[in-house]
CSV table of all heavy atoms in Angstrom, one decimal:
chain,number,residue,atom,x,y,z
A,1,GLY,N,22.1,-6.8,-21.1
A,1,GLY,CA,22.4,-5.4,-20.9
A,1,GLY,C,21.1,-4.6,-20.6
A,1,GLY,O,21.1,-3.4,-20.5
A,2,ASN,N,20.0,-5.3,-20.5
A,2,ASN,CA,18.7,-4.6,-20.3
A,2,ASN,C,18.3,-4.8,-18.8
A,2,ASN,O,18.4,-5.8,-18.2
A,2,ASN,CB,17.6,-5.3,-21.1
A,2,ASN,CG,17.8,-5.0,-22.6
A,2,ASN,OD1,18.2,-3.9,-23.0
A,2,ASN,ND2,17.5,-6.0,-23.5
A,3,LEU,N,17.9,-3.6,-18.3
A,3,LEU,CA,17.4,-3.6,-16.9
A,3,LEU,C,16.0,-4.2,-16.8
A,3,LEU,O,15.6,-5.0,-15.9
A,3,LEU,CB,17.4,-2.2,-16.3
A,3,LEU,CG,17.0,-2.1,-14.8
A,3,LEU,CD1,17.9,-2.9,-13.9
A,3,LEU,CD2,17.0,-0.6,-14.4
A,4,LEU,N,15.2,-3.9,-17.9
A,4,LEU,CA,13.8,-4.4,-17.9
A,4,LEU,C,13.6,-5.0,-19.3
A,4,LEU,O,14.0,-4.5,-20.3
A,4,LEU,CB,12.8,-3.2,-17.7
A,4,LEU,CG,11.3,-3.7,-17.7
A,4,LEU,CD1,10.6,-3.2,-16.5
A,4,LEU,CD2,10.6,-3.3,-19.0
A,5,ASP,N,12.9,-6.2,-19.2
A,5,ASP,CA,12.6,-6.9,-20.5
A,5,ASP,C,11.2,-7.4,-20.4
A,5,ASP,O,10.9,-8.4,-19.7
A,5,ASP,CB,13.6,-8.1,-20.6
A,5,ASP,CG,13.4,-8.8,-21.9
A,5,ASP,OD1,12.6,-8.4,-22.8
A,5,ASP,OD2,14.2,-9.8,-22.1
A,6,ALA,N,10.3,-6.8,-21.1
A,6,ALA,CA,8.8,-7.2,-21.1
A,6,ALA,C,8.6,-8.0,-22.4
A,6,ALA,O,8.9,-7.5,-23.5
A,6,ALA,CB,7.9,-5.9,-21.1
A,7,GLN,N,8.1,-9.2,-22.2
A,7,GLN,CA,7.9,-10.1,-23.3
A,7,GLN,C,6.5,-10.4,-23.6
A,7,GLN,O,5.8,-11.0,-22.7
A,7,GLN,CB,8.7,-11.4,-23.0
A,7,GLN,CG,10.2,-11.2,-22.8
A,7,GLN,CD,10.9,-12.4,-22.2
A,7,GLN,OE1,10.2,-13.4,-21.9
A,7,GLN,NE2,12.2,-12.3,-22.0
A,8,GLU,N,6.0,-10.0,-24.8
A,8,GLU,CA,4.6,-10.3,-25.2
A,8,GLU,C,3.6,-9.9,-24.1
A,8,GLU,O,2.7,-10.7,-23.8
A,8,GLU,CB,4.5,-11.7,-25.6
A,8,GLU,CG,5.4,-12.1,-26.8
A,8,GLU,CD,5.1,-13.5,-27.4
A,8,GLU,OE1,4.5,-14.3,-26.7
A,8,GLU,OE2,5.6,-13.7,-28.5
A,9,VAL,N,3.7,-8.8,-23.5
A,9,VAL,CA,2.8,-8.4,-22.5
A,9,VAL,C,1.4,-8.0,-23.1
A,9,VAL,O,1.3,-7.1,-24.0
A,9,VAL,CB,3.3,-7.2,-21.6
A,9,VAL,CG1,2.3,-6.6,-20.7
A,9,VAL,CG2,4.5,-7.7,-20.9
A,10,ARG,N,0.4,-8.6,-22.5
A,10,ARG,CA,-1.0,-8.3,-23.0
A,10,ARG,C,-1.9,-8.0,-21.8
A,10,ARG,O,-1.8,-8.6,-20.8
A,10,ARG,CB,-1.5,-9.6,-23.7
A,10,ARG,CG,-2.9,-9.5,-24.4
A,10,ARG,CD,-3.2,-10.9,-25.0
A,10,ARG,NE,-4.4,-10.8,-25.8
A,10,ARG,CZ,-4.4,-10.5,-27.1
A,10,ARG,NH1,-3.2,-10.3,-27.7
A,10,ARG,NH2,-5.5,-10.5,-27.8
A,11,LYS,N,-2.7,-7.0,-22.0
A,11,LYS,CA,-3.7,-6.6,-21.0
A,11,LYS,C,-5.0,-6.3,-21.6
A,11,LYS,O,-5.2,-5.5,-22.5
A,11,LYS,CB,-3.2,-5.4,-20.2
A,11,LYS,CG,-4.1,-4.9,-19.1
A,11,LYS,CD,-4.3,-6.0,-18.1
A,11,LYS,CE,-5.4,-5.6,-17.0
A,11,LYS,NZ,-5.7,-6.7,-16.1
A,12,GLU,N,-6.0,-7.1,-21.1
A,12,GLU,CA,-7.4,-7.0,-21.6
A,12,GLU,C,-8.3,-6.6,-20.4
A,12,GLU,O,-8.1,-7.0,-19.3
A,12,GLU,CB,-7.9,-8.3,-22.2
A,12,GLU,CG,-7.1,-8.7,-23.4
A,12,GLU,CD,-7.6,-10.2,-23.9
A,12,GLU,OE1,-8.5,-10.7,-23.3
A,12,GLU,OE2,-6.9,-10.7,-24.7
A,13,PHE,N,-9.2,-5.7,-20.7
A,13,PHE,CA,-10.2,-5.3,-19.7
A,13,PHE,C,-11.6,-5.8,-20.3
A,13,PHE,O,-12.1,-5.1,-21.1
A,13,PHE,CB,-10.3,-3.8,-19.4
A,13,PHE,CG,-9.0,-3.3,-18.8
A,13,PHE,CD1,-8.1,-2.6,-19.6
A,13,PHE,CD2,-8.8,-3.3,-17.4
A,13,PHE,CE1,-6.9,-2.1,-19.1
A,13,PHE,CE2,-7.6,-2.8,-16.9
A,13,PHE,CZ,-6.7,-2.2,-17.7
A,14,GLY,N,-12.1,-6.9,-19.8
A,14,GLY,CA,-13.3,-7.5,-20.4
A,14,GLY,C,-13.0,-7.7,-21.9
A,14,GLY,O,-12.0,-8.4,-22.2
A,15,GLY,N,-13.7,-7.1,-22.8
A,15,GLY,CA,-13.5,-7.3,-24.2
A,15,GLY,C,-12.5,-6.3,-24.8
A,15,GLY,O,-12.2,-6.3,-26.0
A,16,LEU,N,-12.0,-5.3,-24.0
A,16,LEU,CA,-11.2,-4.3,-24.5
A,16,LEU,C,-9.7,-4.7,-24.4
A,16,LEU,O,-9.2,-5.1,-23.3
A,16,LEU,CB,-11.4,-3.0,-23.7
A,16,LEU,CG,-10.4,-1.8,-24.1
A,16,LEU,CD1,-10.7,-1.3,-25.5
A,16,LEU,CD2,-10.5,-0.7,-23.0
A,17,LEU,N,-9.0,-4.7,-25.6
A,17,LEU,CA,-7.6,-5.0,-25.6
A,17,LEU,C,-6.8,-3.7,-25.4
A,17,LEU,O,-6.8,-2.9,-26.4
A,17,LEU,CB,-7.2,-5.7,-26.9
A,17,LEU,CG,-5.8,-6.1,-27.1
A,17,LEU,CD1,-5.3,-7.0,-26.0
A,17,LEU,CD2,-5.6,-6.7,-28.5
A,18,ALA,N,-6.2,-3.5,-24.3
A,18,ALA,CA,-5.5,-2.2,-24.0
A,18,ALA,C,-4.0,-2.3,-24.4
A,18,ALA,O,-3.4,-1.3,-24.8
A,18,ALA,CB,-5.6,-1.8,-22.5
A,19,VAL,N,-3.4,-3.4,-24.2
A,19,VAL,CA,-1.9,-3.6,-24.5
A,19,VAL,C,-1.9,-5.0,-25.3
A,19,VAL,O,-2.3,-6.0,-24.7
A,19,VAL,CB,-1.0,-3.6,-23.3
A,19,VAL,CG1,0.4,-3.9,-23.7
A,19,VAL,CG2,-1.1,-2.3,-22.5
A,20,ASN,N,-1.3,-4.9,-26.5
A,20,ASN,CA,-1.4,-6.1,-27.4
A,20,ASN,C,0.0,-6.7,-27.6
A,20,ASN,O,0.7,-6.3,-28.5
A,20,ASN,CB,-2.0,-5.6,-28.7
A,20,ASN,CG,-2.3,-6.8,-29.6
A,20,ASN,OD1,-2.2,-8.0,-29.3
A,20,ASN,ND2,-2.7,-6.5,-30.9
A,21,ASP,N,0.3,-7.7,-26.8
A,21,ASP,CA,1.5,-8.6,-27.0
A,21,ASP,C,2.7,-7.7,-27.2
A,21,ASP,O,3.4,-7.9,-28.2
A,21,ASP,CB,1.3,-9.5,-28.1
A,21,ASP,CG,0.1,-10.5,-27.9
A,21,ASP,OD1,-0.2,-10.7,-26.7
A,21,ASP,OD2,-0.4,-11.1,-28.8
A,22,LEU,N,3.0,-6.8,-26.3
A,22,LEU,CA,4.0,-5.8,-26.4
A,22,LEU,C,5.4,-6.4,-25.9
A,22,LEU,O,5.5,-6.9,-24.8
A,22,LEU,CB,3.7,-4.6,-25.6
A,22,LEU,CG,4.6,-3.4,-25.7
A,22,LEU,CD1,4.8,-2.9,-27.1
A,22,LEU,CD2,4.2,-2.3,-24.7
A,23,ASP,N,6.4,-6.3,-26.8
A,23,ASP,CA,7.8,-6.6,-26.4
A,23,ASP,C,8.4,-5.2,-26.2
A,23,ASP,O,8.4,-4.3,-27.0
A,23,ASP,CB,8.5,-7.3,-27.5
A,23,ASP,CG,8.1,-8.7,-27.7
A,23,ASP,OD1,7.8,-9.4,-26.7
A,23,ASP,OD2,8.0,-9.2,-28.9
A,24,PHE,N,9.1,-5.1,-25.1
A,24,PHE,CA,9.7,-3.8,-24.7
A,24,PHE,C,10.9,-4.0,-23.8
A,24,PHE,O,10.8,-4.7,-22.8
A,24,PHE,CB,8.6,-2.9,-24.0
A,24,PHE,CG,9.0,-1.6,-23.6
A,24,PHE,CD1,9.0,-0.5,-24.6
A,24,PHE,CD2,9.5,-1.2,-22.3
A,24,PHE,CE1,9.4,0.8,-24.2
A,24,PHE,CE2,9.8,0.0,-22.0
A,24,PHE,CZ,9.8,1.0,-23.0
A,25,THR,N,12.0,-3.4,-24.1
A,25,THR,CA,13.2,-3.5,-23.2
A,25,THR,C,13.7,-2.1,-22.9
A,25,THR,O,13.5,-1.1,-23.6
A,25,THR,CB,14.3,-4.2,-23.9
A,25,THR,OG1,14.7,-3.5,-25.1
A,25,THR,CG2,13.9,-5.6,-24.3
A,26,ILE,N,14.4,-2.0,-21.7
A,26,ILE,CA,15.0,-0.7,-21.3
A,26,ILE,C,16.5,-1.1,-21.0
A,26,ILE,O,16.7,-1.8,-20.0
A,26,ILE,CB,14.4,-0.1,-20.1
A,26,ILE,CG1,12.9,0.1,-20.3
A,26,ILE,CG2,15.0,1.3,-19.8
A,26,ILE,CD1,12.1,0.6,-19.1
A,27,PRO,N,17.4,-0.6,-21.8
A,27,PRO,CA,18.8,-0.8,-21.4
A,27,PRO,C,19.2,-0.1,-20.1
A,27,PRO,O,18.6,0.9,-19.8
A,27,PRO,CB,19.6,-0.2,-22.6
A,27,PRO,CG,18.6,0.0,-23.7
A,27,PRO,CD,17.3,0.2,-23.0
A,28,GLU,N,20.2,-0.7,-19.4
A,28,GLU,CA,20.6,0.0,-18.2
A,28,GLU,C,21.1,1.4,-18.4
A,28,GLU,O,21.8,1.6,-19.4
A,28,GLU,CB,21.7,-0.9,-17.5
A,28,GLU,CG,21.2,-2.2,-16.9
A,28,GLU,CD,22.1,-2.7,-15.8
A,28,GLU,OE1,22.6,-1.9,-15.0
A,28,GLU,OE2,22.4,-3.9,-15.8
A,29,ARG,N,20.8,2.3,-17.5
A,29,ARG,CA,21.2,3.7,-17.5
A,29,ARG,C,20.7,4.5,-18.7
A,29,ARG,O,21.2,5.5,-19.0
A,29,ARG,CB,22.7,3.8,-17.4
A,29,ARG,CG,23.2,3.3,-16.0
A,29,ARG,CD,24.6,3.9,-15.7
A,29,ARG,NE,25.0,3.5,-14.4
A,29,ARG,CZ,25.9,4.1,-13.7
A,29,ARG,NH1,26.5,5.2,-14.2
A,29,ARG,NH2,26.2,3.7,-12.5
A,30,ALA,N,19.7,3.9,-19.4
A,30,ALA,CA,19.2,4.7,-20.6
A,30,ALA,C,18.0,5.6,-20.1
A,30,ALA,O,17.5,5.4,-19.1
A,30,ALA,CB,18.6,3.7,-21.6
A,31,ILE,N,17.7,6.6,-21.0
A,31,ILE,CA,16.5,7.4,-20.8
A,31,ILE,C,15.6,7.1,-22.0
A,31,ILE,O,16.0,7.4,-23.1
A,31,ILE,CB,16.8,8.9,-20.7
A,31,ILE,CG1,17.7,9.2,-19.5
A,31,ILE,CG2,15.5,9.7,-20.6
A,31,ILE,CD1,18.1,10.7,-19.4
A,32,VAL,N,14.5,6.4,-21.7
A,32,VAL,CA,13.6,5.9,-22.8
A,32,VAL,C,12.3,6.5,-22.6
A,32,VAL,O,11.8,6.7,-21.5
A,32,VAL,CB,13.5,4.4,-22.7
A,32,VAL,CG1,12.5,3.8,-23.7
A,32,VAL,CG2,14.9,3.7,-23.0
A,33,SER,N,11.6,6.9,-23.7
A,33,SER,CA,10.3,7.5,-23.7
A,33,SER,C,9.3,6.6,-24.4
A,33,SER,O,9.6,6.0,-25.4
A,33,SER,CB,10.2,8.9,-24.3
A,33,SER,OG,10.9,9.9,-23.5
A,34,LEU,N,8.1,6.6,-23.8
A,34,LEU,CA,6.9,5.9,-24.3
A,34,LEU,C,5.9,6.9,-24.7
A,34,LEU,O,5.4,7.7,-23.8
A,34,LEU,CB,6.4,4.9,-23.3
A,34,LEU,CG,5.4,3.8,-23.7
A,34,LEU,CD1,6.0,2.9,-24.7
A,34,LEU,CD2,5.0,3.1,-22.4
A,35,ILE,N,5.6,7.0,-26.0
A,35,ILE,CA,4.7,8.1,-26.4
A,35,ILE,C,3.5,7.4,-27.2
A,35,ILE,O,3.6,6.3,-27.6
A,35,ILE,CB,5.4,9.2,-27.2
A,35,ILE,CG1,5.9,8.6,-28.6
A,35,ILE,CG2,6.5,9.8,-26.5
A,35,ILE,CD1,6.4,9.7,-29.6
A,36,GLY,N,2.5,8.2,-27.5
A,36,GLY,CA,1.4,7.8,-28.3
A,36,GLY,C,0.2,8.6,-28.0
A,36,GLY,O,0.2,9.3,-27.0
């Protein structure tokens, strides 16, 4: 039922860890916000 399913996504720039093993889903037709 999820349109998007991100599994343990990690992004490093050199020694900088910008996204740390992120699990994230978006159900179909949902409105979801990402804040911080």
Side-chain angles (χ1 to χ4, degrees):
N2 292 323
L3 183 61
L4 183 127
D5 186 2
Q7 302 168 356
E8 297 186 345
V9 170
R10 186 180 189 88
K11 180 59 185 173
E12 298 172 7
F13 297 98
L16 174 70
L17 179 58
V19 178
N20 186 7
D21 296 343
L22 182 62
D23 290 321
F24 183 82
T25 61
I26 307 177
E28 286 204 47
R29 296 202 173 198
I31 300 177
V32 172
S33 286
L34 192 62
I35 68 170

